[in-house]
């Protein structure tokens, strides 16, 4: 179901209205529910958008993710297909074969253990060199967000609110590669590098730690608590992360 339909249904309005509010709060400067904002986008006057810039649409994707901290999650996806982007926007990500190689390596190596780490709001941590612009109809914006940000002043005659995007967001063609390049730069400062001739395998220069990276999901082979903690503290220096020491779930696999 669409967010608009979920908001109109009395049995689902409260849950999904809060979920949508949390998503806008994450992308902006927070909301009334205590969500901390990333300042990835801000409301803007239509007249302040450069004439040579395209204005794209947005869609809200609603999903149920029982393993996530917020099980009922709304994602605001930018209509990247309407925005020009000349550079190569592809980013490497682990494939199934490399994941299986890592799993087998854990099983066959004495003393090896497996854990997973997930980066929260991964795309929203990367800054874009050039902003993008989009519009969202007020029917797809929760009332508390409209009130908090005084959206009426940014609304046109057809009740569309305009936004300036300054950080990577879902749907933007450049979001994945920007986030990957930033992650690679951050990890390299602490000795972690991609393994040559692989798609998503990484290792440390001196520690026996290796991991598969699939966008923002880490499947990690480690040998000691100290080695695992080194990677954890490295990631925490730049990102908010979720840790699963049991390693029971990785990219939909159990």
């Amino acid at each position: 179901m669409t967010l608009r339909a979920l908001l109109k249904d009395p049995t689902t309005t409260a849950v999904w209205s809060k979920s949508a509010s949390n998503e806008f709060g994450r992308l902006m400067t927070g909301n009334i529910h205590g969500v901390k904002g990333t300042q990835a986008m801000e409301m803007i006057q239509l007249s302040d958008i450069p004439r040579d810039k395209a204005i794209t649409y947005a869609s809200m994707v609603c999903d149920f993710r029982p393993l996530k901290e917020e099980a009922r999650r709304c994602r605001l996806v930018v209509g990247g297909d309407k925005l020009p982007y000349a550079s190569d926007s592809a980013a490497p990500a682990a494939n199934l074969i490399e994941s299986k190689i890592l799993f087998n390596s854990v099983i066959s190596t004495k003393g090896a253990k497996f854990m997973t780490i997930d980066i929260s709001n991964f795309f929203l941590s990367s800054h874009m060199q050039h902003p993008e612009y989009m519009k969202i109809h007020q029917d797809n914006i929760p009332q508390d967000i409209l009130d908090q940000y005084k959206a009426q002043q940014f609304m046109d005659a057809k009740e569309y609110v305009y936004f300036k995007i300054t950080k990577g967001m879902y749907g933007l063609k450049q979001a994945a590669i920007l986030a990957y390049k930033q992650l690679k730069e951050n990890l390299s400062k602490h000795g972690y590098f991609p393994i040559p001739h692989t798609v998503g395998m990484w290792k440390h220069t001196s520690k026996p730690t290796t991991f598969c990276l699939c966008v923002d999901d880490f499947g990690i082979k480690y040998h000691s608590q100290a080695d695992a903690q080194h990677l954890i503290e490295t990631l925490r220096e730049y990102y908010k992360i979720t840790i699963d020491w049991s390693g029971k779930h990785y990219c939909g696999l159990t």
Side-chain angles (χ1 to χ4, degrees), residues 58-202:
S59 59
M60 292 293 285
V61 178
C62 303
D63 195 12
F64 178 65
R65 303 287 296 278
L67 300 179
K68 295 290 186 179
E69 183 178 348
E70 186 179 9
R72 289 169 175 80
R73 181 72 180 265
C74 286
R75 289 285 193 187
L76 196 156
V77 180
V78 181
D81 58 314
K82 300 297 184 181
L83 298 173
Y85 187 70
S87 303
D88 182 11
S89 58
N95 57 36
L96 184 59
I97 293 177
E98 291 181 352
S99 299
K100 287 183 176 181
I101 290 173
L102 181 68
F103 300 153
N104 287 327
S105 177
V106 173
I107 294 170
S108 61
T109 304
K110 186 177 181 180
K113 299 178 181 180
F114 182 76
M115 65 181 295
T116 60
I117 293 178
D118 172 69
I119 297 179
S120 302
N121 302 325
F122 182 49
F123 286 175
L124 307 184
S125 301
S126 56
H127 294 268
M128 297 195 301
Q129 186 176 2
H130 305 289
E132 303 287 3
Y133 301 89
M134 68 178 175
K135 62 180 181 179
I136 305 175
H137 196 272
Q138 72 161 354
D139 286 353
N140 287 315
I141 305 175
Q143 188 61 48
D144 64 283
I145 296 294
L146 292 172
D147 295 339
Q148 179 179 345
Y149 291 95
K150 299 178 173 58
Q152 191 68 38
Q153 62 183 307
F154 304 103
M155 199 178 295
D156 66 11
K158 295 183 179 180
E159 300 183 326
Y160 279 96
V161 181
Y162 292 83
F163 293 83
K164 178 181 179 180
I165 305 168
T166 55
K167 292 185 179 181
M169 286 176 56
Y170 292 100
L172 290 175
K173 297 176 183 178
Q174 65 268 48
I177 190 62
L178 287 174
Y180 176 81
K181 287 180 176 179
Q182 180 174 293
L183 176 65
K184 184 177 179 181
E185 179 181 349
N186 293 337
L187 290 181
S188 67
K189 299 173 186 176
H190 302 269
Y192 297 95
F193 295 93
I195 298 175
H197 311 301
T198 70
V199 179
M201 298 285 287
W202 291 58

Side-chain angles (χ1 to χ4, degrees), residues 2 5 24 28 51 54 62 65 79 89 105 164 205 227:
T2 64
F24 276 93
M28 300 178 74
R51 291 178 178 268
C62 303
R65 303 287 296 278
S89 58
S105 177
K164 178 181 179 180
T205 52
D227 288 348

Side-chain angles (χ1 to χ4, degrees), residues 6 8 10-11 15 33 40-41 47 54 83 89 104 107 113 116 119 152 157 183 208 225 227 234 239-240 243-244:
L6 289 167
K8 288 183 177 180
T11 63
V15 171
H33 302 297
M41 68 180 194
S47 58
L83 298 173
S89 58
N104 287 327
I107 294 170
K113 299 178 181 180
T116 60
I119 297 179
Q152 191 68 38
L183 176 65
Q225 185 78 16
D227 288 348
T234 294
Y239 308 98
K240 179 183 177 182
I243 304 166
D244 180 8

